[in-house]
Amino acid sequence: MKMEKSYKNKGIRLLFYFLLISIGLIFPVASFAETPNLTARTLENEIMNILGKNIQCKKIVVQIRLSQEKPNEIKTLAVKFENAVIGDLVADYITILYEKPVIDFNQLKKAKKFKIISSSEGKVGILISAKAIERYIAGRVKKLKNKQARVSIRFSPPYAEYFFDIPVSEIPPKTLKLLNKYVKGKRLEGYTALQMKAKDNSLFALSSKVIVNHFLIPGAIRQELQNMFNPFYRIPVLSPLRYSINNVNVQNNYLFLTN
Amino acid sequence: MFRGKWKFLLGIILLVMIVIAVYVFFLYQQGGTEYYNPPVKKIDDPKMQILSDMTVLSQTVEAYYAKNMRYPDKLEQLKPEFIDKIPLETGTEKSFIYESDGLDCYRITVSQPSRYGFKELFIENGKIIQK
């Protein structure tokens, strides 16, 4: 009897161990199936398609590099947009780099939404060419009553130079009041050398020199004009990406904005 | 008595008018198209100059990344699109030491940091390190 009992107990124990082992084996497989199988290429394509639906641009490139130590972990995720529309401007290139990003895979798979839950560090770089700014100004000029305005830009690091020839009728009354002494005819023609600053996605222009209708504008008036116009542009954030522009510098061919 | 005072007052008014006229002439003279150029900034301190040059180079490397999604293998690749001329180390006129894995890491180092009062001076991935 005792023997029989002990055999029964052994059988139950064996069954219990078998169950435990099988649970242990099944669960990791199940949880692995829950986390996405990280094939960089498929994930890149998926993110690219989702962003393509939300962001107006000519081309999107997504680059994912997986961690060598943990193959299921993303080391870096870089997204580049070419000719991306940010507000009224078209940026030549926007590149966003996330280090060790944690992507919300549920949202990505089910809702087809791209969302980064967290990342250790991020870099944003926006390149805007002089031509892109001129196109933006041309667009503004089209909206004017008197379309005889000419504005051109040249980048001379660390300055951005603006050459303008605008009908007086298109100048806001407040500005005109300040420049009253320098208005001779019906046009405001001149030059300005600007240095740029950025803070919390806003762009500021600091004028180092302003010439209007052959007159060098004194510092005090320059300062007042500066206060009147700044910030001169608010940089919209491309949804669903998150970034804050706090740095800008003028380069040979581009205005380079970074976080 | 009064004549003297009037003369003095007229003299002052004349002087003020002359000063204003000279100032207006100066503003007018400085407003010609030949003056359509930005002010020239000069940095006399070599320490400030080297820091400024390194920062400019680093920003240019970052701009290259923004376009190409990789860092340049050598600084010459930045020319002419991002920079006209690669700056050299002030005083020694040596090239900055540039290292990069091409993908996600770069470093710009000064060959003789002691010359500028540093033990170590470099920029790594956009962050300036000075000891």
Side-chain angles (χ1 to χ4, degrees):
Chain A
M1 276 292 276
K2 265 189 181 177
M3 281 280 277
E4 243 178 63
K5 239 186 184 178
S6 71
Y7 273 122
K8 254 187 185 177
N9 279 345
K10 264 189 185 174
I12 290 165
R13 252 186 232 163
L14 266 171
L15 196 71
F16 179 70
Y17 288 139
F18 176 74
L19 271 170
L20 260 181
I21 290 162
S22 39
I23 285 166
L25 276 171
I26 291 162
F27 263 90
V29 172
S31 63
F32 186 72
E34 276 296 305
T35 54
N37 188 8
L38 283 180
T39 319
R41 187 63 64 84
T42 49
L43 197 57
E44 281 172 1
N45 286 336
E46 210 155 336
I47 294 171
M48 206 159 69
N49 289 335
I50 292 168
L51 290 177
K53 284 172 192 163
N54 295 313
I55 293 163
Q56 204 184 330
C57 66
K58 198 176 165 188
K59 190 181 170 190
I60 302 177
V61 183
V62 181
Q63 239 178 42
I64 288 177
R65 290 182 51 229
L66 301 175
S67 166
Q68 283 183 339
E69 297 86 42
K70 296 174 191 168
N72 258 21
E73 196 180 274
I74 298 171
K75 192 185 174 196
T76 57
L77 164 67
V79 188
K80 183 175 83 168
F81 304 93
E82 288 184 22
N83 293 334
V85 178
I86 44 167
D88 297 329
L89 258 172
V90 177
D92 295 64
Y93 303 96
I94 300 179
T95 301
I96 302 162
L97 174 79
Y98 298 99
E99 277 181 31
K100 290 185 183 168
V102 180
I103 299 171
D104 190 336
F105 285 105
N106 271 334
Q107 290 256 9
L108 193 79
K109 294 270 176 196
K110 289 171 190 167
K112 296 283 172 202
K113 279 183 181 171
F114 175 69
K115 189 183 172 189
I116 293 211
I117 300 165
S118 68
S119 69
S120 68
E121 228 176 296
K123 258 185 198 180
V124 187
I126 302 178
L127 291 167
I128 303 168
S129 63
K131 275 189 181 169
I133 299 174
E134 279 176 354
R135 274 196 293 268
Y136 159 72
I137 294 169
R140 300 285 296 247
V141 169
K142 270 186 189 173
K143 290 176 188 168
L144 299 177
K145 282 178 197 166
N146 187 339
K147 294 174 180 28
Q148 299 293 309
R150 280 196 303 270
V151 178
S152 64
I153 293 150
R154 186 170 69 192
F155 291 151
S156 311
Y159 296 96
E161 297 176 275
Y162 287 73
F163 303 83
F164 53 86
D165 185 0
I166 307 163
V168 171
S169 58
E170 299 300 339
I171 309 289
K174 267 189 177 180
T175 316
L176 207 58
K177 202 178 166 188
L178 269 177
L179 298 171
N180 213 10
K181 290 176 203 164
Y182 310 98
V183 179
K184 285 183 279 185
K186 287 180 178 176
R187 301 193 73 81
L188 215 67
E189 182 268 329
Y191 163 89
T192 176
L194 301 170
Q195 282 189 293
M196 302 286 179
K197 271 198 174 174
K199 200 185 174 192
D200 299 331
N201 289 328
S202 292
L203 276 181
F204 298 82
L206 315 175
S207 60
S208 305
K209 191 186 213 179
V210 182
I211 295 170
V212 174
N213 290 344
H214 213 300
F215 277 99
L216 178 71
I217 302 299
I221 299 175
R222 220 171 57 207
Q223 187 63 46
E224 271 191 69
L225 284 170
Q226 203 168 285
N227 297 341
M228 202 182 279
F229 286 112
N230 281 323
F232 75 93
Y233 194 76
R234 293 201 188 274
I235 308 146
V237 177
L238 293 179
S239 177
L241 307 161
R242 280 177 294 166
Y243 53 83
S244 179
I245 299 297
N246 287 302
N247 213 326
V248 58
N249 61 79
V250 179
Q251 304 198 339
N252 252 14
N253 291 305
Y254 302 103
L255 206 61
F256 181 48
L257 301 113
T258 52
N259 52 333
Chain B
M1 264 303 270
F2 278 112
R3 264 192 192 174
K5 269 189 180 177
W6 274 112
K7 269 186 184 174
F8 178 73
L9 202 65
L10 273 172
I12 295 278
I13 291 167
L14 205 66
L15 194 71
V16 170
M17 282 174 76
I18 288 168
V19 169
I20 291 171
V22 168
Y23 183 55
V24 169
F25 176 75
F26 168 78
L27 293 179
Y28 185 79
Q29 189 262 333
Q30 292 285 309
T33 44
E34 66 273 27
Y35 291 97
Y36 282 13
N37 42 45
V40 180
K41 267 190 175 179
K42 271 190 181 177
I43 307 172
D44 292 328
D45 184 8
K47 192 173 168 177
M48 295 304 288
Q49 183 67 55
I50 200 112
L51 287 171
S52 163
D53 288 345
M54 285 176 83
T55 309
V56 166
L57 263 181
S58 166
Q59 286 164 342
T60 317
V61 170
E62 295 288 349
Y64 181 95
Y65 181 89
K67 188 189 171 185
N68 301 291
M69 292 181 98
R70 55 172 289 125
Y71 290 116
D73 300 317
K74 38 189 182 168
L75 291 175
E76 277 64 35
Q77 284 174 261
L78 301 169
K79 288 197 297 184
E81 190 175 6
F82 298 94
I83 200 163
D84 267 339
K85 198 179 158 194
I86 309 287
L88 299 170
E89 290 180 19
T90 326
T92 61
E93 302 305 310
K94 281 183 183 174
S95 301
F96 286 98
I97 301 160
Y98 175 76
E99 296 155 290
S100 163
D101 67 349
L103 294 166
D104 51 17
C105 195
Y106 76 92
R107 185 193 265 220
I108 301 164
T109 320
V110 175
S111 57
Q112 292 175 355
S114 57
R115 201 182 164 93
Y116 310 99
F118 297 104
K119 270 186 183 174
E120 265 186 287
L121 180 62
F122 59 89
I123 288 186
E124 196 170 79
N125 294 345
K127 282 175 192 156
I128 191 153
I129 313 286
Q130 40 182 309
K131 292 175 190 168

